[in-house]
C-alpha cells in the first residue's frame, strides 16, 4: 500500500474512535487526540450519559471495522417501551412486529474502551490523551495543543484534520470565527434539561424492574426514562424544565422538595431510588441542545458527529447517526477515489440533509414521548402497524422501524416515508376508511398506496 | 433628578448612537464606545451600505429624541418601486394608495453624524472612538478595551452594558461562549452576496434616472437595486450568487466578463455606470446573513439592534427595526419603573417575536423581489389594494403599508395581518369571488372579514 496521508482526528469519543479505527484500517497515518484522560483508567466524566441506545445504523459502523461480535457482549436488548402510569400500571409497547428487531442498551464507556483497545493494535495510530486543542488552522491542516502536563503549547501538523470533538467542538468554533467563508450555524436549547439518577440492583441482586425494555414515565411537561446496565442497575434520566410549572430544576433546591416531587409525580420510581437525594444534588443538570451548521468542511478540515450535528436524545439516534457518519464518509472516499478534498465536500453535501432530518424528528419526538397520552386512535394505529409488521414483515415498516432498523435507507427517506404513513393511517382510522370487512392485506395495500402518494406530493401534514 | 446608573453602550453605529442619546436624555451616565474612527472625520468603511431606507418605525425613534425636523433635510422621498425590464421598459409601482406615504433614502453616514453631533451636546455622555472591546464580563458589567493608540488593554466598569455592536457583535460572542446559561443562537447566510456600485450624476448635473423611486432590475436569480443620494448620484447594489448559474461572484473575475455580464443582464443600467469596472474590483463583496439569538440578556448585559437580530435588507427594515428597538426599550423601562434588570428581561421577552417576524419577512421578500414576474393576478391584486388604500385610507392597509407605515402595530401583528390579506385577495381573484358587479366597498368588506378569520384561525398559507 502506498504511503497515505496523515489524518489528525480531534476528539476520541465514540465517533472519533470509530473513525480513527476505520482510517487506520484503510492504511492512513492517524493521530487521535483527546482533551480528557483515558476513560479506561479514569472515572466517568460528569454530565455525559452513561448508557445509550445502539441500533442498526450504529451496528453498521461497528461491523465495518469488524467489531460486530465483540460488541454483542456489551449489549442488553430492549424489545419495546414500557410505559409507567401515575397509578403504577405498566404497558409494554413493542418496537416492532418482526422477530429480532430490538434496540440495545450499551455502556458509553464500555463501547468507547472497546474501540480504543482495538485502535491500539494498529501501528499507524497514535493516541494522545489529556491534550487540549486550543486552535485550528483550517487551511494549513495544523492545530495548536496544550497537554495537561505542560504549560506550553505546540503545533501538530497533518495533511488533513477531522473534528470529532462533540457538541462543544473547538474545530467548529474555529469555523465560526474564520472570516472569508459563509459558515451558517445554529445552537438551539430546549427549555428542559436532564439529570441522571440510578435504580441500583435489588438487595437480591436482580434488576429493579423489567430488564428487556426502555422504561418511560410520561408526565406531560416532564418525564423519566430508564435503561438497563450490565451490573443490574438502571440509569434513569429525568427530563424537566429549568423554570415554570409547579416543579422545575430551579426550584428543586432542597431534599424535602425533591422528595415531595418524586413521591407526587413518580411514586413507583421513587421507591427504586434509595440514593435519590444524594444523586440529585451531586449529579449535574445538563442542557439539551440541537446544533446545526453548514458547510461541514473548509480548507483541509472536516467536522463529523456531534461536532457538526448534535441532536436531542429522544429518538435514541445520536450515537447511531455519528457511527453512520463514518460509514457515509467511507462511501464518500470511494466515490472520490480517495481524494480527501473531494471526499470532505462530498460527505458534507450528501450527509447534511440526513443529519437535519434526524435532528427534526428527535425534537418532534420529545413532545410525543413526554405527553404520550393513551389516545385511542394512536393505540389503534400502533396495533395495526404491529400486525402489518408481523404478518407482512418484508412489506411494512413503521416510522420507528424505518428509522431504527432500516440502515439501508438514508434518514431523510426513512423519515419522509414514515411521516407519510403516520399521517395516512391516523386519517384513515379517524375517517373509518379501513373498514372491518377489509382483510389485513387489503388494508396494508391501501395504506401503502396512499402513503406513497402523500410522500411524493409533499403534502403538508397536520402534526 | 437623582443620580442614575452608568450605562456602557458598545458600538456607536445607528442603533447605539440613538440609544445613547435617549439614555442621556433620560439622565443616565452614558459611555459610548466604538472600534472604528469617528465617521464624521474618516472615509466610509468599506462593506457597509451607503444609503438606507428610513420609514415610520425608524422615524418614531428619531422623533423620540427630538430629531424629526433635523432628519427631514437628509431624506429623499421614494414613492414606489420602479421596475426595469431587460428591454429597458420601466413601470412604477406605488408603495401606497394613501397620500403622504413614502419611504426615504438617507445616507448612513449623514444620519449617524447627526446623532453623534446631538450626543455631544450632553454633558453626561462620553464617546470613545477607535476603542475595541475585546471581552465582556456579562455579570459584573465591565468590559476590556484596547484603544487603537495603545498596546495595552484596560477595564471599563459600568452598572449595565448594552451591546449595539452589530452583526459581528463581540458582546453576543461573549454570550455564546459563556457557560451556565442556555443561549440559543443562529447565523444563516444566503448563497447570494452583494456589492455596491454607483450611478454618478449626469454630466449636466442631474440624477441619472428618476429620483423619487427605489429602482429594481429583477432578473430571476439575481437583481440590481438603486437608491438616490443627495449629491444626485445613486448607490446601486448588485445581489448575485457566489456560485452556480452562468454568472456569479466567483466567476466574474475579469473586466471583460464583468462587462459582458452587465451588458447582457443590465444593459440600461450598464450605460449609467462609467466606473463599473473599477468599482466592481475595488468594492468588497459582502455576505447576506440573518442572525437570531435568545435570550438577549444575561447578568447586567443586553443586546440590541443587529447584535441581537441582524436581518437581510429586502424589506428595507434593518435600521427601522433597530431604531424601533430603542422605542420598545423605552416602553420596557416605563413598564419596569426604571429597574434596569427587569427592563432588560422585559425587552428581551417582548421584542423577540417581532424581530423574528421581520427577519422571516425579509427573507421571503428576497425571492419575491428578484423574481418579480408580472404575474397577472399579482398585478390585479396590487391594483385593487391601491384602490382600497386610496378610497378607504383609514380602513385598508396592504402588508407593505402595515409593515412600513403602521409604526403603531408590532411587526408580528402587521405581518400576520398582511399575510392573511395577501392570501385571501389572491385566492379570491383566482377563484373570481370578487365579482365585477360588487362595489369597491363590498369587496373591501369581504376581504377584511375573511382575512380576519384566516388570521385568527392561523390557517397555513400556500406561499
Amino acid at each position: 500500500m502506498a504511503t497515505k496521508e496523515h489524518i489528525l482526528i480531534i476528539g476520541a469519543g465514540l465517533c472519533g474512535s470509530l473513525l480513527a479505527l476505520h482510517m487506520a484500517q484503510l492504511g492512513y497515518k492517524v493521530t487521535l487526540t483527546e482533551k480528557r484522560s483515558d476513560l479506561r483508567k479514569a472515572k466517568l466524566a460528569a454530565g455525559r450519559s452513561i448508557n445509550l441506545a445502539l441500533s442498526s445504523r450504529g451496528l453498521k459502523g461497528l461491523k465495518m471495522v469488524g467489531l460486530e461480535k465483540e460488541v454483542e457482549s456489551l449489549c442488553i436488548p430492549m424489545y419495546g417501551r414500557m410505559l409507567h402510569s401515575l397509578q403504577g400500571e405498566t404497558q409494554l409497547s413493542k418496537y416492532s412486529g418482526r422477530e429480532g428487531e430490538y434496540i440495545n442498551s450499551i455502556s458509553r464507556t464500555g463501547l468507547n474502551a472497546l474501540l480504543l483497545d482495538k485502535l491500539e493494535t494498529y501501528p499507524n495510530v497514535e493516541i494522545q490523551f489529556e491534550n487540549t486543542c486550543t486552535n485550528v488552522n483550517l487551511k494549513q491542516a495544523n492545530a495548536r495543543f496544550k497537554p495537561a502536563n505542560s504549560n506550553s503549547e505546540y503545533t501538530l501538523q497533518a495533511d488533513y484534520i477531522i473534528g470529532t470533538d462533540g457538541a462543544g467542538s473547538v474545530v467548529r468554533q474555529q469555523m465560526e470565527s474564520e472570516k472569508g467563508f459563509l459558515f451558517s450555524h445554529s445552537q438551539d436549547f430546549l427549555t428542559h434539561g436532564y439529570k441522571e439518577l440510578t435504580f441500583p440492583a435489588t438487595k437480591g441482586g436482580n434488576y429493579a424492574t423489567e430488564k428487556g425494555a426502555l422504561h418511560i414515565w410520561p408526565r406531560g411537561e416532564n418525564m423519566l426514562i430508564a435503561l438497563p446496565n450490565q451490573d443490574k442497575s438502571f440509569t434513569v434520566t429525568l427530563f424537566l424544565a429549568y423554570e415554570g410549572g409547579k416543579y422545575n430544576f430551579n426550584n428543586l433546591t432542597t431534599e424535602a422538595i425533591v422528595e415531595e416531587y418524586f413521591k407526587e409525580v413518580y411514586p413507583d420510581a421513587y421507591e427504586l431510588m434509595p440514593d435519590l437525594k444524594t444523586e440529585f444534588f451531586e449529579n449535574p443538570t445538563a442542557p439539551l441542545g440541537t446544533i446545526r451548521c453548514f458547510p461541514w468542511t473548509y480548507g483541509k478540515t472536516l467536522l463529523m458527529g456531534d461536532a457538526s450535528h448534535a441532536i436531542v436524545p429522544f429518538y435514541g439516534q445520536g450515537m447511531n447517526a455519528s457511527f453512520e457518519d463514518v460509514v457515509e464518509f467511507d462511501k464518500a472516499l470511494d466515490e472520490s477515489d480517495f481524494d480527501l478534498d473531494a471526499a470532505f465536500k462530498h460527505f458534507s453535501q450528501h450527509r447534511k440533509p440526513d443529519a437535519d432530518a434526524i435532528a427534526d424528528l428527535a425534537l418532534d419526538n420529545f413532545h410525543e414521548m413526554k405527553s404520550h397520552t393513551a389516545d385511542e386512535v394512536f393505540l389503534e394505529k400502533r396495533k395495526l402497524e404491529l400486525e402489518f409488521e408481523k404478518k407482512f414483515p418484508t412489506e411494512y415498516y413503521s416510522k420507528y422501524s424505518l428509522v431504527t432498523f432500516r440502515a439501508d435507507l438514508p434518514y431523510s427517506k426513512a423519515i419522509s416515508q414514515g411521516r407519510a404513513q403516520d399521517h395516512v393511517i391516523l386519517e384513515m382510522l379517524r375517517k373509518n376508511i379501513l373498514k372491518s370487512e377489509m382483510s389485513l392485506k387489503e388494508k396494508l395495500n391501501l395504506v401503502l398506496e396512499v402513503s406513497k402518494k402523500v410522500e411524493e406530493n409533499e403534502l403538508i401534514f397536520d402534526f
Side-chain angles (χ1 to χ4, degrees), chain A:
Chain A
M1 197 179 281
T3 306
K4 285 197 170 176
E5 293 92 337
H6 176 199
I7 316 287
L8 167 60
I9 299 174
I10 299 172
L14 292 169
C15 181
S17 300
L18 181 71
L19 175 69
L21 187 48
H22 183 59
M23 296 306 275
Q25 292 172 340
L26 290 175
Y28 290 97
K29 179 183 170 192
V30 175
T31 304
L32 176 64
T33 68
E34 169 58 47
K35 69 175 178 187
R36 293 186 176 83
S37 52
D38 188 344
L39 51 74
R40 293 167 299 181
K41 298 169 189 163
K43 281 191 70 175
L44 188 69
R48 312 192 72 201
S49 56
I50 291 160
N51 54 21
L52 299 158
L54 175 66
S55 52
S56 305
R57 292 173 198 271
L59 286 165
K60 189 172 52 170
L62 291 165
K63 191 171 177 185
M64 188 172 69
V65 297
L67 287 174
E68 72 270 34
K69 282 290 160 211
E70 287 84 342
V71 82
E72 261 180 33
S73 64
L74 300 174
C75 286
I76 303 175
M78 299 184 289
Y79 297 92
R81 297 174 197 92
M82 185 159 284
L83 302 177
H84 297 251
S85 77
L86 189 56
Q87 291 72 37
E89 297 147 355
T90 60
Q91 188 189 346
L92 181 70
S93 168
K94 287 187 68 181
Y95 282 127
S96 169
R98 266 175 298 275
E99 289 301 308
E101 283 191 346
Y102 52 82
I103 63 175
N104 302 283
S105 177
I106 191 165
S107 147
R108 175 195 287 275
T109 311
L111 180 55
N112 212 335
L114 173 69
L115 291 166
L116 291 170
D117 287 346
K118 184 80 176 179
L119 252 183
E120 284 179 342
T121 67
Y122 287 82
N124 50 335
V125 176
E126 188 194 353
I127 312 180
Q128 303 176 351
F129 292 102
E130 299 183 49
N131 198 11
T132 302
C133 175
T134 58
N135 199 283
V136 181
N137 186 323
L138 306 169
K139 282 184 161 179
Q140 302 294 325
N142 61 56
R144 298 283 290 171
F145 284 92
K146 198 194 155 299
N149 58 10
S150 159
N151 278 323
S152 62
E153 298 196 349
Y154 72 100
T155 299
L156 206 158
Q157 180 69 51
D159 296 315
Y160 292 90
I161 296 177
I162 303 181
T164 50
D165 50 344
S169 173
V170 169
V171 185
R172 188 185 68 245
Q173 281 166 30
Q174 190 67 46
M175 289 192 179
E176 289 176 15
S177 63
E178 197 90 4
K179 305 294 177 203
F181 89 113
L182 304 179
F183 185 70
S184 296
H185 58 94
S186 73
Q187 170 173 317
D188 288 296
F189 287 105
L190 295 181
T191 51
H192 284 60
Y194 73 95
K195 188 188 284 288
E196 290 187 328
L197 305 164
T198 314
F199 294 166
T202 61
K203 282 177 186 159
N206 287 319
Y207 283 97
T209 182
E210 167 61 37
K211 173 193 181 187
L214 189 155
H215 297 263
I216 308 179
W217 289 256
R219 294 293 183 269
E221 271 317 293
N222 52 83
M223 74 173 169
L224 207 65
I225 69 168
L227 279 76
N229 296 314
Q230 289 196 316
D231 67 358
K232 308 214 166 165
S233 68
F234 281 83
T235 301
V236 179
T237 310
L238 170 66
F239 296 94
L240 178 66
Y242 281 95
E243 50 188 18
K246 184 174 173 189
Y247 300 104
N248 58 55
F249 275 124
N250 288 342
N251 71 22
L252 291 180
T253 52
T254 68
E255 293 199 352
I257 300 177
V258 168
E259 187 176 333
E260 175 189 303
Y261 168 59
F262 277 86
K263 277 187 168 172
E264 183 177 320
V265 180
Y266 304 107
D268 53 348
Y270 174 78
E271 298 297 327
L272 307 178
M273 292 188 281
D275 305 324
L276 170 66
K277 283 173 278 187
T278 313
E279 285 191 329
F280 193 91
F281 292 103
E282 278 184 0
N283 294 352
T285 305
L288 293 160
T290 300
I291 286 173
R292 301 176 204 252
C293 62
F294 198 75
W296 293 347
T297 183
Y298 183 65
K300 299 285 180 185
T301 305
L302 176 70
L303 297 173
M304 205 182 281
D306 281 4
S308 48
H309 53 74
I311 66 179
V312 294
F314 305 108
Y315 224 90
Q317 287 294 319
M319 168 181 56
N320 292 291
S322 290
F323 280 4
E324 199 179 50
D325 275 3
V326 181
V327 177
E328 291 300 309
F329 181 62
D330 179 65
K331 286 187 198 164
L333 281 172
D334 262 351
E335 294 264 351
S336 38
D337 221 5
F338 293 86
D339 170 344
L340 282 157
D341 295 284
F344 281 13
K345 287 204 177 73
H346 186 280
F347 174 76
S348 172
Q349 200 76 36
H350 284 73
R351 184 63 172 159
K352 170 70 172 163
D354 293 311
D356 280 340
I358 190 62
D360 289 340
L361 187 66
L363 282 167
D364 289 354
N365 214 45
F366 177 45
H367 306 288
E368 195 173 319
M369 267 179 101
K370 68 185 167 54
S371 55
H372 221 298
T373 46
D375 180 296
E376 249 186 57
V377 182
F378 183 88
L379 292 175
E380 208 182 332
K381 166 175 168 288
R382 194 65 204 134
K383 186 163 161 276
L384 183 66
E385 289 192 282
L386 288 172
E387 282 176 27
F388 284 164
E389 291 190 329
K390 193 172 177 184
K391 294 281 172 56
F392 308 103
T394 61
E395 291 172 64
Y396 190 80
Y397 290 82
S398 70
K399 183 175 74 187
Y400 188 84
S401 291
L402 288 164
V403 172
T404 308
F405 304 121
R406 287 290 301 274
D408 57 312
L409 297 178
Y411 277 124
S412 50
K413 166 62 186 162
I415 292 166
S416 71
Q417 183 178 329
R419 283 186 165 149
Q421 289 171 184
D422 279 355
H423 179 64
V424 165
I425 297 179
L426 285 171
E427 280 297 296
M428 285 182 169
L429 289 173
R430 281 186 193 123
K431 292 178 177 151
N432 197 24
I433 291 168
L434 300 170
K435 305 278 184 206
S436 52
E437 58 266 31
M438 287 167 73
S439 72
L440 192 64
K441 179 72 185 173
E442 283 168 340
K443 289 178 182 173
L444 174 69
N445 288 345
L446 185 60
V447 165
L448 287 178
E449 183 196 331
V450 177
S451 296
K452 197 157 182 284
K453 282 187 192 155
V454 165
E455 191 191 353
E456 285 172 359
N457 287 311
E458 293 174 12
L459 292 186
I460 294 164
F461 305 155
D462 49 21
F463 55 82

